[in-house]
Amino acid sequence: MAAGRIHFIGGGQMAEAIIRAVVGNGTYKAEQISVADIHEERTAYLNTAYGVQAASKSQEAELAGAEMIIIAVRPQDDLAAVGVAISSHASSGAAVLSIVAGVTIDRLAGYVGAERPIIRVIPNTLTDTGLGYSGAALNAFAGKEQVEEFLNGFGKVQYLEESLIDIFTGYGVAGPNYVYYFIESLADAGVLAGLPREQAWTTALENVEGAVAMLRHSGLHPRQLLDINNSPGGVGIHALYELNNSDFAAGLQRSVKAAVKRTTELGQVQS
């Protein structure tokens, strides 16, 4: 179990997902966490649902006692005011971890202080599973040891150069969306072929989970397993031929590029 206190500024859906995970799996005790939000009913809800402390309006005591401060507000919110509160009340060694989309470390430093440990995180959306990578970039004053236990409390983490954050967002963090869409389409294909919906759905899930496990277990490249599974003139190679004709691979790659492009655009709007 992690030591120290953490304070969330902002109690929205992503903050709740992180709190639910780190409290649920025992990374933090509920009493180690405080949350402030402009909507008092939101902090009251988080207090009731997870036992975390609903912070006072001023946040002075919570900021002063926190070893890590999580900025979880919207990009369009008043980040300057957030920075003033942190600079005025938090200890100089308290790490600031931001999950605010599009806001760079340099911009954060302008708000909270240039010599403070700052970590910019793009959190994964698989928080309840313990799987999925979040992407994290650290400034020169932050160390992995300050944030690793927290980040691993709601999945896994890959440390990146900040220049790669937009790419990681469009590819890695948005990644479950591509998988969800594929699974939905695969299940629909089973129904189209004549299987009952429940059988098509459970078979699609099992095949996806099993294929990932097989790749990890065998250490083989997907193409090697495709070669093993597909006999000359057989069922599988005919299916792959049609999939290739559908432009499936290029369509997926274009989707990732579009997501990365949009991530970059949003960051420029907020800068």
Side-chain angles (χ1 to χ4, degrees), residues 159-184:
Y159 295 98
L160 310 166
E161 295 296 325
E162 191 176 17
S163 61
L164 298 177
I165 284 286
D166 288 350
I167 298 172
F168 189 83
T169 302
Y171 173 68
V173 175
N177 289 341
Y178 312 130
V179 178
Y180 296 149
Y181 190 81
F182 171 76
I183 292 172
E184 179 189 41

Side-chain angles (χ1 to χ4, degrees), residues 202-222:
T202 56
T203 300
L205 290 177
E206 192 71 13
N207 278 339
V208 170
E209 185 175 2
V212 172
M214 189 67 180
L215 286 166
R216 295 190 190 279
H217 173 76
S218 67
L220 297 176
H221 189 277

Side-chain angles (χ1 to χ4, degrees), residues 31 35 49-51 59 61 79 94 97 123 133 136 142 158 163 165 169 174 183 189 192 194 196 215 242 249 263:
E31 52 265 33
V35 186
Y50 307 105
Q59 305 181 74
L79 287 169
L97 187 152
Y133 284 107
Q158 288 191 11
S163 61
I165 284 286
T169 302
I183 292 172
L192 179 64
L215 286 166
E242 289 296 332
T263 302

